Amino acid sequence: VQLQASGGGLVQAGASLRLSCTASERTSDRYAVGWFRQAPGKERTFVAGIAWHGIDTYADSVKGRFTISGDNAGVSLLMKNLKPEDTATYYCATAKTLGDVRQGSVAYWGQGTLVTVSS
């Protein structure tokens, strides 16, 4: 399975961006997709996840600003009110369950898309 993440870019603080994640194939009807991010010099951390049945979960740092959604085309991450601290390379990934996503126990990683938020 190959995951393709896209939608990153350079924006000013307060702006919005929508990231998209598409998969080359679907290996199961029951799965979860997550977004993670890695800032320069820091570890990769969980951002948001959504399960096949629509239940979603978010890191505290993005609650109320980011929204994850999915359809047959893929999974999107709508990021509003972006802050400089949101600057990172964003990765999408798939796992068996939402719990696996939150723990970073993922099966496949996308290649990442860079989001830069200027102050």
Side-chain angles (χ1 to χ4, degrees), residues 74-85:
V75 173
S76 296
L77 183 68
L78 175 61
M79 307 184 294
K80 294 183 177 179
N81 190 23
L82 283 162
K83 304 176 181 180
E85 52 263 43

Side-chain angles (χ1 to χ4, degrees), residues 1-117:
V1 176
Q2 292 184 334
L3 299 175
Q4 181 77 33
S6 61
L10 171 63
V11 297
Q12 290 187 332
S16 299
L17 272 179
R18 181 185 293 273
L19 305 183
S20 296
C21 178
T22 57
S24 59
E25 62 183 283
R26 181 180 294 181
T27 60
S28 172
D29 289 334
R30 299 188 175 192
Y31 61 96
V33 177
W35 284 96
F36 298 76
R37 65 187 181 187
Q38 186 169 21
K42 296 187 177 180
E43 294 186 352
R44 185 154 48 188
T45 58
F46 168 78
V47 175
I50 188 167
W52 62 274
H53 44 65
I55 298 297
D56 56 13
T57 183
Y58 300 89
D60 289 342
S61 60
V62 305
K63 278 182 181 177
R65 299 188 299 122
F66 290 13
T67 303
I68 189 170
S69 61
D71 56 28
N72 288 333
V75 173
S76 296
L77 183 68
L78 175 61
M79 307 184 294
K80 294 183 177 179
N81 190 23
L82 283 162
K83 304 176 181 180
E85 52 263 43
D86 294 319
T87 295
T89 298
Y90 285 71
Y91 300 86
C92 61
T94 63
K96 290 184 178 180
T97 69
L98 203 52
D100 289 341
V101 168
R102 287 223 61 149
Q103 295 176 11
S105 300
V106 301
Y108 301 99
W109 289 98
Q111 88 289 359
T113 185
L114 178 62
V115 173
T116 304
V117 184

